[in-house]
Amino acid sequence: MLESAREVATHCPYCALQCGMTLRETPQGRVEVAARDFPTNRGGLCQKGWTSAELLDHPERLTTPLLKGQPATWDEAYDFIVDGVRRVQDAHGRDAVAVFGGGGLTNEKAYTLGKFARVALRTANIDYNGRFCMSSAAAAGNRSFGIDRGLPFPMADIAEADTLLLIGANVAETMPPFARYLTEQRQRGGTQIVVDPRATPTARAATLHLQPTPGTDLALALGLLHIVVAEGLTDPAYLAERTTGWDAVRKTAAGYWPARVELLTGVPVADLEATARALAAADRAIILTARGAEQHAKGVDTVTAFINLALALGLPGRPGSGYGCLTGQGNGQGGREHGQKADQLPGYRKIDDPAARAHVAAVWGVDPDSIPGPGLSAYELLDALGQLGGPKAMLVFGSNPVVSAPRAARITERLKSLDLLVVCDFFLSETAAIADVVLPVAQWAEEDGTMTNLEGRVLRRRALRKPPPGIGTDLAVMAELASRLGRTGDGRSVTGGERSGGFSAEPYAVFEELRRATAGGVADYAGVTWERVDAENGVFWPCPAADRAGTPRLFEESFPTPDGRARMIAVEHRPVAEEIDAEYPLYLTTGRVLAQYQSGAQTRRIAALPGGPFVELHPDLAERLGIDDGDPVRVLSRRGEMTAPARVVTTIRPDTLFAPFHYSGTGRANSLTGDALDPISRMPEFKVCAVRIEPVTP
Ligand code: SF4
């Protein structure tokens, strides 16, 4: 499916905005990036996108498999892996081999990875780094709406909102082309309210900035709902016709009167009232959450509380209004739909649903009973590695948990304790550096496939050129390993579905199989084809048939729940997992910066992207501790420590520090973060833990 031209229309390799770009290969073999006018980015790119092609011919690129750190042939590497997998499974059972995927993998790879784990390895233990990203919003969306699609409306609606409430999102830095929608919204006279413990560039541009104590967004949402109820601003007809559970939610909100919420959150009553009234007065109002609200041990309930607020105001399904979450990773949306989650099969099917198992088994050509049940969630899986009863081998695709996992020092030790660690990557990431086997794989501009952006729009990733000699693809690795393990599925239809044909390394063929596997599921791609995606500037799922349009807007008439109504769930505020105390008197919150992406394995290698760890603190705190801007500081938590230069800024609360999580070594912020998990989504509490800071004395 490679295009012959030396120019292709594709999308950025990084975040979920998936900006349209054109790649051109010059006669000298250099790849140039040009912005492309696509409905989402409208011709914009950020500096990460502009510089993305520099990685294609980067001198640090892996060009050969590595076996115990030494160059090896592909045959040697495959033999070593197959032998290791067999030995571990013979000694400890099938679940002793685990798989860890990533939210940057294409739909084709995410789908194949789930199938590879269940059919080729026959293991229950597969999960992915999206668990650290989207899982709380996903679980809340499923619980309330019966579906998890980040934005249930096209992004263009955001610019049209009269009132926009943005909680825990700093799009001005994380996805700058998105920020133009916010600018437009303000220029149209709209009210924009940003909730963030930091006065980020996004917050500073807003009409109103609410700066709560870290970990109190749930109380804030309940307080807003209280005001909406107390002032008679709800939409009673909508609540009666389109929701269930309102009575219990209303009763819970009664306990969150404004003065109490000011005490809990630090947000003044006047600002709470202004926010609630602005939302209620708007013809078109949109509430958006992102990682700041979601990466907590109460992330699901926090999102649920904002969904309840949106439902009380009658927003979801109303033209130009609604609730949505802003997906982070490039294929964070598609990556959570096709089976690389521990509890899930393709099409957002549940792995413990007999009908779902039968459908997928028929497509895969296996017996439904041969598909394992649910496995461990991402952090629990990583924490179990090498432990009694835990996995003894792991294969990693598109992830760098040594940097990105919470409590990272402990997770690094767990990874090192494995009998076999295999990593597929294009650079020697921190995780690849401790692997027994590293397999060099293609980059985004060398492969075809599809991604699903933050709107639920399926997009085409197009290859500009073939991978360099000696470099494989993730799909080819999975197909080869399945073949060598002798476990490709028997190709026999169990319930009359089409033959699976085993594992294909050809993304077009994989997508055709994915369409069949997702048919009838919540995330139904049956009617999406590569040809349609090309012709229609992307297709929004669900799209159950090739002759039916996609679905840009959800919930217009009903919700995909058994009774067609949204479920309102009563939730209560609760404290953070680790409160500050005399020993660790400050909150730490982590996040991203403009020039870097996720674990930094790619962007840290681009010279044009400024980088380096730092710790933000308020001038009052800095003065008290004798810290000047630029001084080296040490931040300590009960899990570990990091050192980095201080950045003394007035944009942060005096009781809070901020550190970006892109860096490794002594600058690794995840050395500090804790492992408290949300009871439903199993999301770690990345956004708040207790720390102290001290100057580093020579
Ligand atoms: S990183 Fe995100 S915002 Fe930046 S160019 Fe890429 S897709 Fe667009």
Side-chain angles (χ1 to χ4, degrees):
M1 294 305 295
L2 285 172
E3 299 192 20
S4 55
R6 286 304 192 192
E7 176 174 311
V8 291
T10 188
H11 296 267
C12 173
Y14 300 123
C15 84
L17 194 56
Q18 284 295 290
C19 295
M21 61 167 54
T22 303
L23 295 179
R24 283 190 205 97
E25 188 167 35
T26 67
Q28 293 74 33
R30 206 163 54 78
V31 178
E32 296 173 342
V33 173
R36 184 163 67 91
D37 191 20
F38 194 74
T40 50
N41 62 311
R42 297 177 181 169
L45 288 178
C46 79
Q47 54 186 275
K48 298 185 286 288
W50 282 116
T51 55
S52 53
E54 289 184 27
L55 294 176
L56 293 169
D57 298 309
H58 195 282
E60 289 175 36
R61 184 148 187 204
L62 296 171
T63 55
T64 179
L66 299 175
L67 198 50
K68 301 283 186 188
Q70 298 302 314
T73 66
W74 278 90
D75 257 341
E76 289 167 339
Y78 280 136
D79 284 348
F80 191 91
I81 296 167
V82 168
D83 186 51
V85 165
R86 287 209 174 108
R87 252 186 307 108
V88 165
Q89 290 194 320
D90 286 350
H92 305 284
R94 287 175 177 146
D95 292 346
V97 176
V99 177
F100 201 80
L105 300 175
T106 60
N107 290 320
E108 291 78 4
K109 293 181 190 182
Y111 168 80
T112 303
L113 197 61
K115 177 180 172 183
F116 175 74
R118 277 71 178 235
V119 174
L121 297 175
R122 304 278 297 275
T123 179
N125 282 323
I126 172 170
D127 213 62
Y128 79 127
N129 64 19
R131 180 77 68 172
F132 301 155
C133 186
M134 297 310 306
S135 60
S136 286
N142 281 324
R143 189 163 73 159
S144 295
F145 299 134
I147 195 170
D148 156 36
R149 201 183 84 185
L151 294 181
F153 41 73
M155 273 174 58
D157 285 13
I158 292 166
E160 308 280 316
D162 300 312
T163 297
L164 180 65
L165 175 61
L166 201 58
I167 308 109
N170 180 18
V171 293
E173 289 200 83
T174 55
M175 43 177 74
F178 182 100
R180 71 178 53 189
Y181 291 87
L182 305 189
T183 307
E184 262 178 53
Q185 191 258 344
R186 288 192 308 273
Q187 287 172 344
R188 286 183 56 258
T191 302
Q192 197 173 102
I193 304 156
V194 171
V195 179
D196 200 309
R198 301 164 64 217
T200 62
T202 312
R204 294 200 295 273
T207 322
L208 178 61
H209 173 208
L210 313 185
Q211 200 166 8
T213 307
T216 62
D217 292 333
L218 176 46
L220 184 89
L222 287 160
L224 295 175
L225 183 57
H226 179 102
I227 295 165
V228 164
V229 175
E231 299 192 2
L233 303 175
T234 60
D235 184 336
Y238 181 98
L239 284 165
E241 289 161 21
R242 302 209 55 185
T243 71
T244 56
W246 169 232
D247 273 353
V249 169
R250 183 174 47 79
K251 281 179 193 146
T252 308
Y256 293 85
W257 58 94
R260 181 184 176 213
V261 173
E262 178 175 326
L263 217 58
L264 287 170
T265 64
V267 176
V269 169
D271 288 350
L272 295 169
E273 288 172 345
T275 302
R277 288 169 192 162
L279 284 168
D283 276 343
R284 293 166 169 250
I286 289 178
I287 299 174
L288 299 175
T289 63
R291 303 306 81 68
E294 299 159 13
Q295 287 179 318
H296 292 272
K298 53 178 177 292
V300 177
D301 284 354
T302 301
V303 174
T304 300
F306 283 105
I307 291 175
N308 287 343
L309 176 64
L311 290 167
L313 292 164
L315 305 182
R318 194 164 101 197
S321 296
Y323 161 81
C325 76
L326 296 174
T327 298
Q329 291 194 79
N331 199 28
Q333 181 70 56
R336 65 186 194 260
E337 297 164 356
H338 300 305
Q340 61 174 332
K341 259 173 115 171
D343 53 356
Q344 187 200 69
L345 289 172
Y348 231 126
R349 289 183 157 92
K350 292 194 172 78
I351 203 164
D352 53 6
D353 171 2
R357 295 169 65 86
H359 175 88
V360 174
V363 176
W364 287 351
V366 300
D367 191 313
D369 291 339
S370 73
I371 297 177
L376 296 168
S377 74
Y379 182 80
E380 291 160 302
L381 177 61
L382 293 172
D383 196 31
L385 297 177
Q387 305 302 294
L388 192 65
K392 304 292 187 288
M394 189 158 85
L395 286 72
V396 179
F397 293 77
S399 192
N400 186 14
V402 166
V403 176
S404 61
R407 205 170 186 178
R410 174 163 153 146
I411 295 307
T412 304
E413 290 312 307
R414 297 287 197 256
L415 287 160
K416 284 180 179 171
S417 74
L418 288 169
D419 294 350
L420 174 67
L421 176 61
V422 180
V423 174
C424 287
D425 211 324
F426 28 86
F427 290 111
L428 196 68
S429 70
E430 287 76 6
T431 308
I434 59 169
D436 299 292
V437 187
V438 182
L439 300 177
V441 290
Q443 292 192 43
W444 104 109
E446 299 157 352
E447 289 180 288
D448 285 287
T450 59
M451 306 282 276
T452 304
N453 79 350
L454 73 175
E455 306 164 294
R457 188 196 302 247
V458 186
L459 309 167
R460 278 274 282 115
R461 173 177 281 189
R462 299 179 181 89
L464 175 74
R465 61 190 194 186
K466 290 180 178 169
I471 289 178
T473 67
D474 293 308
L475 288 178
V477 166
M478 288 183 260
E480 183 65 24
L481 284 175
S483 168
R484 287 181 183 235
L485 286 163
R487 301 181 197 157
T488 56
D490 63 10
R492 179 178 55 82
S493 170
V494 177
T495 58
E498 295 183 51
R499 290 170 66 87
S500 77
F503 286 81
S504 175
E506 167 55 53
Y508 185 88
V510 172
F511 192 80
E512 290 298 299
E513 187 181 306
L514 177 156
R515 291 176 58 204
R516 298 198 301 276
T518 63
V522 175
D524 192 334
Y525 280 48
V528 184
T529 64
W530 281 22
E531 292 77 11
R532 280 190 71 181
V533 173
D534 288 345
E536 300 174 26
N537 252 352
V539 177
F540 289 83
W541 72 261
C543 182
D547 59 357
R548 284 178 55 179
T551 316
R553 287 187 176 77
L554 299 171
F555 315 145
E556 286 181 318
E557 278 157 23
S558 67
F559 295 92
T561 54
D563 62 3
R565 296 171 179 225
R567 294 177 284 236
M568 299 186 83
I569 316 280
V571 292
E572 294 272 9
H573 170 71
R574 52 189 188 269
V576 295
E578 186 184 42
E579 271 295 359
I580 55 175
D581 56 21
E583 197 180 354
Y584 296 98
L586 299 167
Y587 297 108
L588 171 77
T589 190
T590 63
R592 287 169 51 188
V593 296
L594 176 63
Q596 299 294 324
Y597 179 69
Q598 302 300 82
S599 81
Q602 298 169 79
T603 46
R604 278 188 275 126
R605 289 181 159 83
I606 296 179
L609 294 178
F614 61 87
V615 177
E616 275 186 9
L617 73 163
H618 192 273
D620 293 350
L621 178 65
E623 188 183 353
R624 188 152 51 82
L625 298 174
I627 294 169
D628 286 327
D629 192 61
D631 281 356
V633 289
R634 180 180 294 114
V635 183
L636 302 100
S637 77
R638 289 183 176 84
R639 274 75 50 193
E641 62 180 66
M642 70 171 285
T643 53
R647 273 195 196 171
V648 180
V649 295
T650 55
T651 49
I652 195 159
R653 295 169 53 101
D655 61 358
T656 303
L657 307 179
F658 168 80
F661 68 82
H662 311 292
Y663 303 104
S664 62
T666 54
R668 182 173 63 184
N670 275 319
S671 296
L672 304 166
T673 49
D675 55 5
L677 303 181
D678 184 286
I680 297 169
S681 67
R682 317 309 283 164
M683 165 74 83
E685 186 138 289
F686 284 106
K687 286 296 181 192
V688 57
C689 68
V691 297
R692 69 171 183 267
I693 185 170
E694 59 193 29
V696 175
T697 45

